[in-house]
Tab-separated table of all heavy atoms in Angstrom:
chain	number	residue	atom	x	y	z
A	133	TYR	N	-20.961	0.583	10.011
A	133	TYR	CA	-21.641	-0.001	11.048
A	133	TYR	C	-22.545	0.801	11.823
A	133	TYR	O	-22.007	1.910	12.374
A	133	TYR	CB	-20.689	-0.908	11.999
A	133	TYR	CG	-19.916	-1.844	11.286
A	133	TYR	CD1	-18.749	-1.558	10.659
A	133	TYR	CD2	-20.394	-3.240	11.321
A	133	TYR	CE1	-17.924	-2.504	10.003
A	133	TYR	CE2	-19.470	-4.258	10.622
A	133	TYR	CZ	-18.286	-3.934	9.920
A	133	TYR	OH	-17.511	-4.756	9.399
A	134	VAL	N	-23.744	0.648	12.075
A	134	VAL	CA	-24.633	1.467	12.738
A	134	VAL	C	-25.335	0.746	13.996
A	134	VAL	O	-25.532	-0.577	13.777
A	134	VAL	CB	-25.727	2.246	12.112
A	134	VAL	CG1	-24.957	3.046	10.920
A	134	VAL	CG2	-26.730	1.247	11.384
A	135	ARG	N	-25.725	1.399	14.964
A	135	ARG	CA	-26.626	0.787	15.972
A	135	ARG	C	-27.967	1.186	15.752
A	135	ARG	O	-28.329	2.493	15.404
A	135	ARG	CB	-26.182	1.274	17.325
A	135	ARG	CG	-26.902	0.771	18.628
A	135	ARG	CD	-26.129	0.962	19.735
A	135	ARG	NE	-26.881	1.144	21.040
A	135	ARG	CZ	-27.297	2.213	21.618
A	135	ARG	NH1	-26.777	3.354	21.169
A	135	ARG	NH2	-28.130	2.249	22.695
A	136	ALA	N	-28.894	0.289	15.665
A	136	ALA	CA	-30.292	0.625	15.289
A	136	ALA	C	-31.304	-0.035	16.371
A	136	ALA	O	-30.921	-0.927	17.020
A	136	ALA	CB	-30.679	0.136	13.923
A	137	SER	N	-32.515	0.408	16.333
A	137	SER	CA	-33.559	-0.126	17.052
A	137	SER	C	-33.985	-1.379	16.414
A	137	SER	O	-33.620	-1.625	15.283
A	137	SER	CB	-34.888	0.783	17.162
A	137	SER	OG	-35.445	1.029	15.941
A	138	ARG	N	-34.831	-2.110	17.100
A	138	ARG	CA	-35.308	-3.353	16.453
A	138	ARG	C	-36.347	-3.165	15.303
A	138	ARG	O	-36.570	-4.074	14.461
A	138	ARG	CB	-35.988	-4.289	17.473
A	138	ARG	CG	-35.085	-4.653	18.542
A	138	ARG	CD	-35.410	-5.903	19.487
A	138	ARG	NE	-34.492	-6.361	20.289
A	138	ARG	CZ	-34.569	-7.558	20.803
A	138	ARG	NH1	-35.518	-8.505	20.561
A	138	ARG	NH2	-33.614	-7.994	21.607
A	139	GLY	N	-36.738	-1.950	15.181
A	139	GLY	CA	-37.604	-1.535	13.915
A	139	GLY	C	-36.758	-0.958	12.927
A	139	GLY	O	-37.277	-0.620	11.862
A	140	GLY	N	-35.436	-0.883	12.996
A	140	GLY	CA	-34.590	-0.404	11.934
A	140	GLY	C	-34.303	1.097	12.002
A	140	GLY	O	-33.807	1.640	10.975
A	141	GLU	N	-34.638	1.785	13.127
A	141	GLU	CA	-34.320	3.244	13.075
A	141	GLU	C	-32.886	3.524	13.591
A	141	GLU	O	-32.466	2.795	14.677
A	141	GLU	CB	-35.313	3.969	14.102
A	141	GLU	CG	-36.647	3.924	13.671
A	141	GLU	CD	-37.731	4.387	14.637
A	141	GLU	OE1	-37.229	4.825	15.786
A	141	GLU	OE2	-38.895	4.692	14.206
A	142	VAL	N	-32.112	4.186	12.943
A	142	VAL	CA	-30.721	4.322	13.345
A	142	VAL	C	-30.600	5.147	14.600
A	142	VAL	O	-31.155	6.238	14.665
A	142	VAL	CB	-29.960	5.028	12.153
A	142	VAL	CG1	-28.549	5.380	12.544
A	142	VAL	CG2	-29.900	4.131	10.886
A	143	ILE	N	-29.864	4.650	15.550
A	143	ILE	CA	-29.656	5.379	16.850
A	143	ILE	C	-28.374	6.025	16.763
A	143	ILE	O	-28.337	7.340	16.989
A	143	ILE	CB	-29.540	4.316	17.973
A	143	ILE	CG1	-30.889	3.533	18.120
A	143	ILE	CG2	-29.249	5.067	19.276
A	143	ILE	CD1	-30.797	2.392	19.057
A	144	ASN	N	-27.165	5.431	16.224
A	144	ASN	CA	-25.972	6.126	16.117
A	144	ASN	C	-25.048	5.290	15.306
A	144	ASN	O	-25.273	4.039	15.037
A	144	ASN	CB	-25.201	6.316	17.491
A	144	ASN	CG	-24.933	5.073	18.292
A	144	ASN	OD1	-25.809	4.666	19.217
A	144	ASN	ND2	-23.825	4.460	18.059
A	145	THR	N	-24.048	5.998	14.692
A	145	THR	CA	-22.992	5.262	13.998
A	145	THR	C	-21.902	4.659	14.952
A	145	THR	O	-21.580	5.339	15.893
A	145	THR	CB	-22.322	6.145	13.045
A	145	THR	OG1	-23.296	6.738	12.092
A	145	THR	CG2	-21.176	5.538	12.223
A	146	VAL	N	-21.595	3.465	14.634
A	146	VAL	CA	-20.549	2.699	15.586
A	146	VAL	C	-19.215	2.841	14.930
A	146	VAL	O	-18.320	3.315	15.677
A	146	VAL	CB	-20.915	1.178	15.662
A	146	VAL	CG1	-19.757	0.533	16.281
A	146	VAL	CG2	-22.186	1.057	16.482
A	147	ALA	N	-18.992	2.650	13.674
A	147	ALA	CA	-17.792	2.771	13.009
A	147	ALA	C	-17.918	2.835	11.494
A	147	ALA	O	-18.931	2.276	10.966
A	147	ALA	CB	-16.784	1.668	13.374
A	148	VAL	N	-17.072	3.554	10.906
A	148	VAL	CA	-16.838	3.546	9.347
A	148	VAL	C	-15.463	3.035	8.997
A	148	VAL	O	-14.582	3.857	9.490
A	148	VAL	CB	-17.318	5.070	8.841
A	148	VAL	CG1	-17.202	4.940	7.199
A	148	VAL	CG2	-18.626	5.413	9.329
A	149	LEU	N	-15.301	2.040	8.286
A	149	LEU	CA	-14.015	1.454	8.172
A	149	LEU	C	-13.723	1.630	6.518
A	149	LEU	O	-14.552	1.471	5.626
A	149	LEU	CB	-13.926	-0.033	8.381
A	149	LEU	CG	-14.267	-0.388	9.852
A	149	LEU	CD1	-14.103	-1.939	10.099
A	149	LEU	CD2	-13.529	0.329	10.821
A	150	SER	N	-12.490	2.022	6.112
A	150	SER	CA	-12.149	2.220	4.843
A	150	SER	C	-12.033	0.697	4.224
A	150	SER	O	-11.522	-0.162	4.821
A	150	SER	CB	-10.723	2.994	4.707
A	150	SER	OG	-10.910	4.348	5.226
A	151	VAL	N	-12.306	0.686	2.990
A	151	VAL	CA	-12.235	-0.573	2.173
A	151	VAL	C	-11.071	-0.300	1.192
A	151	VAL	O	-11.133	0.254	0.238
A	151	VAL	CB	-13.436	-0.928	1.438
A	151	VAL	CG1	-13.199	-2.094	0.653
A	151	VAL	CG2	-14.554	-1.110	2.419
A	152	PRO	N	-9.908	-0.782	1.593
A	152	PRO	CA	-8.617	-0.700	0.492
A	152	PRO	C	-8.886	-1.540	-0.715
A	152	PRO	O	-8.995	-2.785	-0.529
A	152	PRO	CB	-7.487	-1.087	1.335
A	152	PRO	CG	-7.952	-1.974	2.514
A	152	PRO	CD	-9.385	-1.595	2.806
A	153	SER	N	-8.784	-0.898	-1.945
A	153	SER	CA	-8.875	-1.742	-3.137
A	153	SER	C	-7.745	-2.776	-3.253
A	153	SER	O	-7.976	-3.974	-3.760
A	153	SER	CB	-8.829	-0.878	-4.303
A	153	SER	OG	-7.663	-0.105	-4.380
A	154	ARG	N	-6.728	-2.520	-2.507
A	154	ARG	CA	-5.602	-3.464	-2.544
A	154	ARG	C	-5.965	-4.908	-2.058
A	154	ARG	O	-5.501	-5.882	-2.457
A	154	ARG	CB	-4.441	-2.910	-1.811
A	154	ARG	CG	-3.290	-3.814	-1.503
A	154	ARG	CD	-3.280	-4.419	-0.146
A	154	ARG	NE	-2.183	-5.275	0.161
A	154	ARG	CZ	-2.278	-6.425	0.843
A	154	ARG	NH1	-3.429	-6.831	1.164
A	154	ARG	NH2	-1.131	-7.040	1.051
A	155	ASP	N	-6.948	-4.965	-1.121
A	155	ASP	CA	-7.283	-6.186	-0.501
A	155	ASP	C	-8.256	-6.971	-1.418
A	155	ASP	O	-8.598	-8.186	-1.044
A	155	ASP	CB	-8.025	-5.922	0.860
A	155	ASP	CG	-7.136	-5.426	1.924
A	155	ASP	OD1	-5.866	-5.275	1.514
A	155	ASP	OD2	-7.532	-5.269	3.084
A	156	PHE	N	-8.774	-6.508	-2.504
A	156	PHE	CA	-9.749	-7.114	-3.309
A	156	PHE	C	-9.178	-7.108	-4.796
A	156	PHE	O	-8.864	-6.108	-5.369
A	156	PHE	CB	-11.091	-6.386	-3.214
A	156	PHE	CG	-11.789	-6.363	-1.761
A	156	PHE	CD1	-11.320	-5.408	-0.950
A	156	PHE	CD2	-12.587	-7.273	-1.365
A	156	PHE	CE1	-11.724	-5.314	0.473
A	156	PHE	CE2	-13.027	-7.310	-0.033
A	156	PHE	CZ	-12.678	-6.273	0.763
A	157	LEU	N	-9.344	-8.330	-5.371
A	157	LEU	CA	-8.742	-8.549	-6.589
A	157	LEU	C	-9.554	-8.978	-7.755
A	157	LEU	O	-10.352	-9.935	-7.509
A	157	LEU	CB	-7.464	-9.497	-6.392
A	157	LEU	CG	-6.465	-9.232	-5.287
A	157	LEU	CD1	-5.654	-10.376	-5.139
A	157	LEU	CD2	-5.724	-7.919	-5.535
A	158	SER	N	-9.535	-8.381	-8.955
A	158	SER	CA	-9.952	-8.891	-10.071
A	158	SER	C	-8.861	-9.296	-11.026
A	158	SER	O	-8.281	-8.422	-11.809
A	158	SER	CB	-10.948	-7.918	-10.778
A	158	SER	OG	-12.218	-7.853	-10.006
A	159	ILE	N	-8.498	-10.547	-11.117
A	159	ILE	CA	-7.313	-11.059	-11.900
A	159	ILE	C	-7.655	-11.516	-13.315
A	159	ILE	O	-8.623	-12.316	-13.271
A	159	ILE	CB	-6.662	-12.315	-11.134
A	159	ILE	CG1	-6.237	-11.686	-9.712
A	159	ILE	CG2	-5.428	-12.665	-11.816
A	159	ILE	CD1	-5.709	-12.776	-8.768
A	160	PRO	N	-7.172	-10.895	-14.353
A	160	PRO	CA	-7.594	-11.271	-15.682
A	160	PRO	C	-7.317	-12.776	-15.868
A	160	PRO	O	-6.278	-13.444	-15.407
A	160	PRO	CB	-6.610	-10.506	-16.602
A	160	PRO	CG	-6.180	-9.297	-15.700
A	160	PRO	CD	-6.117	-9.831	-14.311
A	161	PHE	N	-8.352	-13.373	-16.534
A	161	PHE	CA	-8.099	-14.896	-16.749
A	161	PHE	C	-8.838	-15.136	-18.286
A	161	PHE	O	-9.943	-14.824	-18.554
A	161	PHE	CB	-8.993	-15.560	-15.793
A	161	PHE	CG	-8.912	-17.179	-16.031
A	161	PHE	CD1	-7.790	-17.867	-15.863
A	161	PHE	CD2	-10.128	-17.810	-16.384
A	161	PHE	CE1	-7.702	-19.209	-16.265
A	161	PHE	CE2	-10.121	-19.177	-16.548
A	161	PHE	CZ	-8.925	-19.889	-16.493
A	162	GLY	N	-8.090	-15.735	-19.013
A	162	GLY	CA	-8.508	-16.165	-20.319
A	162	GLY	C	-8.574	-14.821	-21.340
A	162	GLY	O	-7.933	-13.851	-21.029
A	163	ASP	N	-9.489	-14.865	-22.293
A	163	ASP	CA	-9.526	-13.819	-23.250
A	163	ASP	C	-10.243	-12.551	-22.563
A	163	ASP	O	-9.841	-11.342	-22.860
A	163	ASP	CB	-10.252	-14.193	-24.532
A	163	ASP	CG	-9.528	-15.392	-25.262
A	163	ASP	OD1	-8.267	-15.255	-25.128
A	163	ASP	OD2	-10.085	-16.064	-26.010
A	164	ASP	N	-11.355	-12.784	-21.892
A	164	ASP	CA	-12.065	-11.659	-21.356
A	164	ASP	C	-12.638	-11.979	-20.051
A	164	ASP	O	-13.653	-11.260	-19.522
A	164	ASP	CB	-13.291	-11.302	-22.354
A	164	ASP	CG	-14.084	-12.462	-22.683
A	164	ASP	OD1	-13.856	-13.505	-22.165
A	164	ASP	OD2	-15.066	-12.243	-23.441
A	165	GLY	N	-12.063	-12.947	-19.241
A	165	GLY	CA	-12.709	-13.294	-17.940
A	165	GLY	C	-11.776	-12.725	-16.888
A	165	GLY	O	-10.746	-12.196	-17.027
A	166	PHE	N	-12.354	-12.820	-15.649
A	166	PHE	CA	-11.615	-12.327	-14.508
A	166	PHE	C	-11.889	-13.322	-13.277
A	166	PHE	O	-12.973	-13.989	-13.214
A	166	PHE	CB	-12.137	-10.953	-14.051
A	166	PHE	CG	-11.752	-9.759	-14.916
A	166	PHE	CD1	-12.447	-9.384	-15.966
A	166	PHE	CD2	-10.596	-9.036	-14.478
A	166	PHE	CE1	-12.050	-8.400	-16.859
A	166	PHE	CE2	-10.188	-8.158	-15.458
A	166	PHE	CZ	-10.858	-7.665	-16.489
A	167	ILE	N	-10.926	-13.433	-12.436
A	167	ILE	CA	-11.079	-14.101	-11.202
A	167	ILE	C	-11.251	-13.176	-9.896
A	167	ILE	O	-10.406	-12.286	-9.688
A	167	ILE	CB	-9.880	-14.986	-10.903
A	167	ILE	CG1	-9.596	-15.996	-12.057
A	167	ILE	CG2	-9.945	-15.720	-9.579
A	167	ILE	CD1	-8.263	-16.646	-12.033
A	168	ALA	N	-12.319	-13.108	-9.306
A	168	ALA	CA	-12.578	-12.331	-8.199
A	168	ALA	C	-12.298	-12.990	-6.961
A	168	ALA	O	-12.795	-14.132	-6.664
A	168	ALA	CB	-14.138	-11.885	-8.094
Side-chain angles (χ1 to χ4, degrees):
Y133 297 85
V134 301
R135 178 166 156 254
S137 70
R138 296 197 174 199
E141 298 176 351
V142 175
I143 301 172
N144 59 268
T145 297
V146 171
V148 180
L149 306 182
S150 296
V151 176
S153 59
R154 173 258 181 222
D155 287 6
F156 301 85
L157 307 171
S158 290
I159 301 171
F161 177 70
D163 294 335
D164 54 2
F166 287 88
I167 302 169

